[in-house]
Amino acid sequence: MSDENDIYLDGRSFGDLSMAWQQACTLCFANGDLFRRTVGTAHPIVRQEMLEWYDDEDTEIAYLLAPAEKVRRRLHIQGYTDERCRDLWEREYLKHIARLEELAEKSDVELRQEVDAQKGLSFDSWLERAETLGLDHWVRRGFIEFDLTDMFASLALELQYFNPEYVWTDLVAYADDFDPELSVHQNLRRLNQFEDEYQEFVRETGTVLILTEGKSDTEVLSAAIQALYPEYSDLFQFVDFQEFSIQGGASMLTKMVKAFAGVRLNQSILALFDNDAAGLAERNHVDGIKALPTDIKTMVLPEIELARDYPTIGPEGERRMDVNGAASSIEMFLGENALTDRNGQFHPIRWTGWNTQIKRYQGALEHKDDITRRFLARMKKGGDPASLRAEFPEMNQLLNAIFSAFH
C-alpha cells in the first residue's frame, strides 16, 4: 500500500493534497464520515482500491468517506465559493500564459502551437476544451501544465465541474490512533499532537489576539505597539469593545476567555489581566481550568518599580505603598508625564474594598481617563520608536512581556 495519505475522488487520487492531508480531512469530512469495515464490506469505491493492497477481504480497515456534493458545500462554507475560485483561476491563468510565452520563445514549434491553443481561454472555454479532449477530471501537469497554487480551490472547482460521486481517504496508517470515543476532528487534532512528539520544529505563534479588561486597555496597547514597535503591529489583534458595545472588567475578561476556549479557535490568544486584586483573582480562576487550550495564555501586568512606592489614599489617610498586585492597572505604564497633575504630583490610588478570594485590598487609580488621553495624544504625536521606548520604560517592559508570552 502507499506510504502517503491521499485524498481520493472516486477511484482517482487527488495527490496534490497529500502534503496537507490533515488540513484536507478537517475541511472535507464531518464527524459522521468515519467508517470501520473489512475490505470485503467497505464501500465499493474504497473496496476496489483496497483490493490492490490486501489479499484478505476480512482485513479490517478504517476510512473517511463523504458524498462529493457534501464536501463541495463544506468548502463553500469555508470560503471556496465558485465565484471566488473562478476569479482565482482567471488571475493565475494569465500568469501561466505569460510564463509559457516566455518559454516558447526559446523552444520548439510544438510548444508554440500549444501556447497559441491555450492563449485567450476563459474558464468556460477552458472547460469546453477539456471536454473536447475527453477529460473527466481536473488536469494537473497535463495538456496545459497549469494548476492553482491553492489546492483547495482546485478541489472545489473539480467537485463543481467534473462531478465525482465520493471523496474519501484511507486511515490504515492511523487506525490504531483513532479513538472511537472521540470525534473525527478531535482525532485529527490528536494526530497533530502525536506528530509534534516525533518531529523537531518550531511552531509559529501566528497572529495573537490580545484580550484585555476593557476599551481603554485595548486603545493604549494598540497605540503603544504601533508607536514603539511598528514592525510588530501586524502580529497582534484586539477585540473592538466600542464597536460592539462589549462590557469591560476582570470578570468579563474571564468570560471572554471561556467563550473562546469553548469554540476552540485555532488562534493564539493572550488574556491580559490588571495586576490588582480583581485581576489576580480572575487570572487564578482561568489558570485553574484544566481544559484550557494550549494556545490560550494568561498573564497579569508585570510588576514595575514605579508601583513599589506610590501614593495611595485609604481609611488611614495618605500613604505611599507598593501597589503591585493590588492596584496596578495599565495606566501605571503610561509614563510620569501622564500620571502627574499640574503640580507635578502623581494622581493617587484610592483603596476601594477587600477581595476575599486572594485576601487583599483592591485599589483604583484616580483620573484614569485624563491619564489615558494624555498618553494617547503623545503616541499620536509619534517620534523615533527607540526614543519612545526610552521615554516610556514601563510600557516598553509591558510590551516585551507580551511579545514573549508564548515563548
Side-chain angles (χ1 to χ4, degrees):
M1 64 175 279
S2 169
D3 291 330
E4 293 185 350
N5 297 101
D6 292 323
I7 301 293
Y8 290 87
L9 307 188
D10 294 337
R12 180 176 46 79
S13 170
F14 196 94
D16 307 80
L17 293 177
S18 60
M19 298 299 293
W21 178 79
Q22 291 184 6
Q23 183 183 0
C25 289
T26 300
L27 284 174
C28 294
F29 301 108
N31 289 324
D33 296 332
L34 172 63
F35 298 90
R36 297 178 185 272
R37 301 282 190 274
T38 63
V39 172
T41 59
H43 189 280
I45 289 176
V46 178
R47 182 170 65 248
Q48 182 177 353
E49 187 71 23
M50 291 296 179
L51 286 174
E52 296 183 9
W53 300 348
Y54 298 100
D55 295 327
D56 186 357
E57 292 193 12
D58 292 330
T59 301
E60 292 187 355
I61 59 172
Y63 57 90
L64 297 169
L65 179 140
E69 176 60 19
K70 175 181 174 182
V71 175
R72 188 192 66 78
R73 291 198 302 269
R74 285 179 63 88
L75 289 171
H76 187 282
I77 291 172
Q78 293 293 324
Y80 289 96
T81 63
D82 186 44
E83 180 181 5
R84 295 177 72 181
C85 292
R86 285 175 60 126
D87 286 346
L88 178 62
W89 188 97
E90 298 281 2
R91 295 195 302 273
E92 291 204 22
Y93 191 70
L94 290 176
K95 298 176 185 177
H96 159 70
I97 293 299
R99 287 192 296 266
L100 277 189
E101 287 184 316
E102 184 177 347
L103 290 173
E105 291 178 0
K106 305 174 183 179
S107 188
D108 54 27
V109 175
E110 184 178 352
L111 179 56
R112 286 196 294 272
Q113 291 175 341
E114 183 62 31
V115 174
D116 291 338
Q118 295 182 35
K119 193 173 181 179
L121 293 179
S122 66
F123 182 77
D124 290 325
S125 57
W126 185 93
L127 285 174
E128 292 175 2
R129 185 171 186 237
E131 184 177 0
T132 300
L133 294 173
L135 299 172
D136 61 354
H137 60 274
W138 190 258
V139 179
R140 286 171 295 279
R141 310 299 178 257
F143 80 102
I144 62 169
E145 298 285 341
F146 166 68
D147 198 8
L148 301 179
T149 302
D150 189 334
M151 289 293 95
F152 294 110
S154 290
L155 176 61
L157 288 172
E158 181 152 340
L159 296 177
Q160 177 76 25
Y161 293 100
F162 290 98
N163 302 312
E165 290 189 73
Y166 290 95
V167 179
W168 66 280
T169 187
D170 74 271
L171 297 174
V172 174
Y174 296 111
D176 294 337
D177 295 324
F178 258 63
D179 186 339
E181 299 298 322
L182 300 178
S183 70
V184 167
H185 292 177
Q186 287 173 326
N187 274 299
L188 289 171
R189 285 194 290 269
R190 289 179 73 240
L191 291 184
N192 273 327
Q193 294 174 0
F194 293 155
E195 288 192 358
D196 289 353
E197 294 176 3
Y198 297 103
Q199 297 182 20
E200 298 293 339
F201 63 91
V202 175
R203 177 175 176 263
E204 72 276 9
T205 303
T207 302
V208 176
L209 175 63
I210 300 179
L211 305 179
T212 69
E213 291 192 14
K215 170 177 168 287
S216 63
D217 295 26
T218 290
E219 290 177 338
V220 163
L221 285 177
S222 178
I225 293 175
Q226 183 62 53
L228 274 65
Y229 291 95
E231 66 272 27
Y232 302 152
S233 59
D234 63 307
L235 298 177
F236 298 92
Q237 297 176 324
F238 298 89
V239 171
D240 193 332
F241 283 83
Q242 184 171 1
E243 180 68 21
F244 298 98
S245 301
I246 300 174
Q247 294 181 345
S251 61
M252 181 56 65
L253 176 52
T254 296
K255 292 178 181 178
M256 282 196 290
V257 172
K258 289 181 177 180
F260 281 114
V263 297
R264 298 189 179 275
L265 292 176
N266 292 321
Q267 180 176 14
S268 299
I269 296 174
L270 176 63
L272 180 61
F273 292 90
D274 286 352
N275 192 8
D276 57 14
L280 288 172
E282 292 297 328
R283 195 267 184 109
N284 289 341
H285 172 69
V286 173
D287 285 350
I289 301 174
K290 294 182 178 180
L292 195 69
T294 57
D295 52 9
I296 296 181
K297 304 291 185 183
T298 67
M299 65 174 284
V300 295
L301 298 173
E303 294 193 358
I304 52 176
E305 285 298 321
L306 177 66
R308 295 192 190 282
D309 183 30
Y310 198 84
T312 68
I313 301 175
E316 299 178 359
E318 298 182 2
R319 294 179 56 187
R320 297 186 73 91
M321 299 176 60
D322 184 351
V323 297
N324 286 303
S328 182
S329 61
I330 201 166
E331 289 78 15
M332 295 291 293
F333 294 77
L334 305 190
E336 292 189 12
N337 286 336
L339 284 167
T340 53
D341 60 22
R342 295 178 180 178
N343 299 319
Q345 301 297 313
F346 282 111
H347 293 294
I349 285 172
R350 186 175 296 276
W351 299 111
T352 57
W354 178 256
N355 189 298
T356 57
Q357 289 181 267
I358 62 170
K359 296 181 173 28
R360 320 190 162 175
Y361 280 101
Q362 169 78 22
L365 186 66
E366 294 191 338
H367 305 289
K368 281 188 175 185
D369 290 344
D370 292 338
I371 294 168
T372 300
R373 277 195 293 269
R374 294 177 70 178
F375 175 80
L376 292 177
R378 178 65 185 91
M379 292 298 100
K380 186 176 181 180
K381 183 179 178 182
D384 174 62
S387 299
L388 288 173
R389 293 195 288 270
E391 183 179 345
F392 295 93
E394 293 83 15
M395 179 55 67
N396 188 46
Q397 179 183 344
L398 169 57
L399 294 183
N400 278 280
I402 289 172
F403 297 157
S404 61
F406 284 86
H407 295 174

